[in-house]
Amino acid sequence: METPVRQWNVHLINNIFKSDVALAIKSIPLVQGDVKDQWVWNEISSGVYSVKSGYQIACKILYHSATKLASMAQFSKPLGSFKKSASYHLPEIGSIVETSRNCKGEIIKACCGLSGLVESILHAETEAVWQAVSLAPSDLPLLNSFIHYNYNMSSGSLQIAYRQTGIMSGKWVAWAINPTSVGMVGSQALIAYKNSNGSMIVYTSPITQYQTGLLPGKLSFDVSDLSAELEKDGIIIYATLGIKGNVTSLHQVWNEGPVVDDSPKMHAVSGPNVKSMATLDLLSGEIVTPSGGDDRARMKHVHGSLNVASWGILMPIGVMVARYLKVIKPSTPLWFYMHVTCQSCAYIISVAGWVTGIILGRDSAMHGPHGKIGTALFAMGTLQVFALLLRPKPDAMCRFYWNIYHHSIGYLVIILSIANIMKGLKMLNPGEIYENAYMGGMAALATIALCLQIYKWSAESNKNSNGVHGVDD
């Protein structure tokens, strides 16, 4: 172009390009006047790049040119080996994507012309494209989830594309930022799911407690351009968030759960659903999982072991001793001392189990039915201890009613204990072998109890026929 007169240099163009290309170039009108060049993203009408548009272009690249991308030499090295400027050629976009990096892997200049922004290298490629080019196998560590973002620190604008794959119909997905801490309570969530009529529902929901209904509500920061798309086997949430205060990292939480009658319900309270949280470094894109996860897992196993030993083993054995041993040896108080010993040891161990449950319940969804039943069991166990201290003499008039109370609470505790232990095992998800082992142990105790019950009926029948009454506890 001849700059002073703002005309094409026809002679030069004809000498450099083929005739059809030269004709196309010369047909481009030139602006008359002093107008500065500027970057334009030609994939959307506004000309301004967005994570959503870049992500959609990347999906097209994935389905049409993944093989071509994978064969490119500049993608053959791992991310950490890039220390100089690299040039990525995306043929379908029809441009050279030039990206400058420093030794930390931070992006200084980006393909969309947003010079001066620090962007995520993942903002315009799906996870499958990255797999094809051997750069990054995944993004978020759990639940088949990926976060792609574009962050402008000066304006506090954070554009995100959150994608979760492997989602069957009848499930919701969520991605959230917790401005105050690592964890679920206090997080500001974006929720999306497919409605029964086939439309996508997407909205914001502040999480204020564990037993949340994921109700719509305003978040603690601005949210714009919120939308969601349904993929073949997943859901993508797009949004632009207003992050104030020159933030360089944030605590994120993501999850999935069932949708019943077009309403999101509680997610699972075990496995990856209670571990899906991490800190995202907005400058480097590094994902850091919270420390202490192993300690928490150990505490869960300790909690389960203590309660299985107390409520699930010692207390049923103590009940069997009181019910059957006094029939076998009615003339000695052995059954009474064994009964008290079993139940006292079970109660002491259950105190430790209850305390660990309270600690776990402060930071998880343990406030649900499992936690409530556990608290009720501990209260009934405490009442049984006081009942023992207030035990009336055998010839007291109130002894009959005391026996009814003591036996009823005792049997109720056994039933609830077994049910709550099974629920706890499902939450802990230690493996079928542990569940089967406990069920096998309970079946063995039940078989022994049945045999002893038959013996008791026989012994009482013989005593009644001889005019001898049983011993009262």
Side-chain angles (χ1 to χ4, degrees):
M1 185 181 71
E2 298 177 357
T3 304
V5 294
R6 303 195 68 80
Q7 293 181 352
W8 291 115
N9 189 328
V10 176
H11 179 72
L12 183 61
I13 292 175
N14 289 336
N15 287 338
I16 295 177
F17 300 100
K18 294 181 180 180
S19 58
D20 56 339
V21 177
L23 182 62
I25 293 175
K26 291 183 289 185
S27 65
I28 299 175
L30 295 176
V31 176
Q32 301 300 315
D34 187 14
V35 179
K36 294 183 179 180
D37 290 338
Q38 63 180 4
W39 289 95
V40 176
W41 180 255
N42 65 352
E43 302 301 327
I44 53 178
S45 59
S46 66
V48 179
Y49 173 80
S50 68
V51 167
K52 182 177 181 179
S53 62
Y55 191 88
Q56 291 170 338
I57 291 298
C59 288
K60 294 179 182 179
I61 295 172
L62 166 65
Y63 293 120
H64 298 294
S65 297
T67 304
K68 191 181 297 183
L69 282 171
S71 66
M72 298 174 65
Q74 55 265 46
F75 283 100
S76 63
K77 296 182 178 181
L79 186 62
S81 65
F82 284 99
K83 298 183 182 296
K84 298 181 180 179
S85 177
S87 178
Y88 303 160
H89 184 212
L90 306 183
E92 278 63 33
I93 297 179
S95 62
I96 300 296
V97 180
E98 295 182 352
T99 303
S100 297
R101 290 176 175 278
N102 60 20
C103 61
K104 294 181 180 180
E106 296 174 354
I107 296 181
I108 307 302
K109 181 180 177 183
C111 62
C112 46
L114 300 175
S115 180
L117 300 188
V118 180
E119 299 184 19
S120 167
I121 190 61
L122 301 175
H123 82 274
E125 286 85 3
T126 63
E127 121 280 348
V129 169
W130 286 119
Q131 289 175 346
V133 300
S134 303
L135 270 178
S138 65
D139 196 353
L140 299 177
L142 297 168
L143 298 177
N144 300 317
S145 301
F146 309 86
I147 183 68
H148 311 258
Y149 67 90
N150 180 26
Y151 181 44
N152 186 336
M153 186 185 297
S154 60
S155 66
S157 174
L158 176 65
Q159 298 181 44
I160 66 102
Y162 169 75
R163 179 178 182 231
Q164 186 166 339
T165 61
I167 296 296
M168 300 178 292
S169 61
K171 278 196 171 185
W172 56 263
V173 301
W175 181 83
I177 293 176
N178 193 327
T180 57
S181 64
V182 177
M184 174 180 169
V185 174
S187 60
Q188 310 294 296
L190 310 177
I191 315 292
Y193 61 90
K194 182 181 178 182
N195 211 350
S196 59
N197 60 12
S199 62
M200 288 300 299
I201 303 296
V202 58
Y203 62 93
T204 60
S205 177
I207 309 301
T208 58
Q209 59 183 5
Y210 288 110
Q211 294 300 308
T212 176
L214 296 178
L215 300 177
K218 185 177 177 60
L219 303 188
S220 61
F221 46 79
D222 295 333
V223 179
S224 59
D225 303 324
L226 180 60
S227 62
E229 292 180 355
L230 182 66
E231 287 188 323
K232 182 179 179 181
D233 66 339
I235 293 177
I236 307 173
I237 300 177
Y238 302 103
T240 299
L241 313 178
I243 307 298
K244 303 288 179 67
N246 294 327
V247 175
T248 59
S249 65
L250 52 83
H251 305 306
Q252 58 177 340
V253 184
W254 63 99
N255 225 312
E256 65 179 21
V259 175
V260 179
D261 296 330
D262 289 339
S263 178
K265 302 300 181 183
M266 184 68 183
H267 63 72
V269 291
S270 62
N273 292 89
V274 295
K275 300 177 182 178
S276 53
M277 59 189 74
T279 298
L280 171 63
D281 190 320
L282 293 172
L283 302 184
S284 66
E286 183 181 4
I287 303 292
V288 180
T289 55
S291 60
D294 292 340
D295 293 339
R296 182 174 177 80
R298 280 193 290 270
M299 181 174 287
K300 286 183 178 180
H301 283 86
V302 169
H303 169 74
S305 299
L306 290 172
N307 285 297
V308 167
S310 59
W311 301 104
I313 297 177
L314 285 175
M315 284 199 177
I317 291 177
V319 170
M320 291 171 60
V321 166
R323 182 173 179 82
Y324 302 118
L325 189 58
K326 64 182 179 183
V327 177
I328 298 175
K329 291 193 174 184
S331 60
T332 66
L334 177 64
W335 67 269
F336 176 76
Y337 295 118
M338 290 182 63
H339 172 68
V340 172
T341 300
C342 283
Q343 304 307 73
S344 298
C345 291
Y347 181 76
I348 292 171
I349 296 173
S350 74
V351 172
W354 184 69
V355 171
T356 56
I358 291 296
I359 296 173
L360 290 170
R362 291 185 306 188
D363 303 316
S364 72
M366 297 282 287
H367 293 296
H370 178 73
K372 293 176 181 177
I373 294 174
T375 300
L377 283 171
F378 184 75
M380 287 188 286
T382 303
L383 288 176
Q384 290 288 68
V385 172
F386 283 108
L388 177 64
L389 299 176
L390 300 175
R391 177 172 174 258
K393 294 182 178 181
D395 56 352
M397 295 182 61
C398 60
R399 181 59 180 264
F400 173 77
Y401 301 101
W402 184 91
N403 285 341
I404 294 177
Y405 156 79
H406 184 62
H407 296 163
S408 300
I409 296 295
Y411 293 134
L412 179 61
V413 164
I414 297 303
I415 295 172
L416 289 179
S417 296
I418 294 174
N420 210 34
I421 288 172
M422 293 304 300
K423 186 172 183 62
L425 286 172
K426 291 186 180 298
M427 293 172 62
L428 187 60
N429 195 23
E432 291 186 2
I433 184 172
Y434 293 95
E435 293 185 31
N436 293 337
Y438 181 71
M439 292 176 65
M442 289 297 98
L445 285 178
T447 301
I448 295 172
L450 178 61
C451 294
L452 291 175
Q453 183 64 40
I454 295 173
Y455 176 83
K456 179 182 179 181
W457 287 334
S458 176
E460 289 179 346
S461 177
N462 293 333
K463 288 180 181 180
N464 291 334
S465 63
N466 294 330
V468 180
H469 299 286
V471 179
D472 187 14
D473 66 353

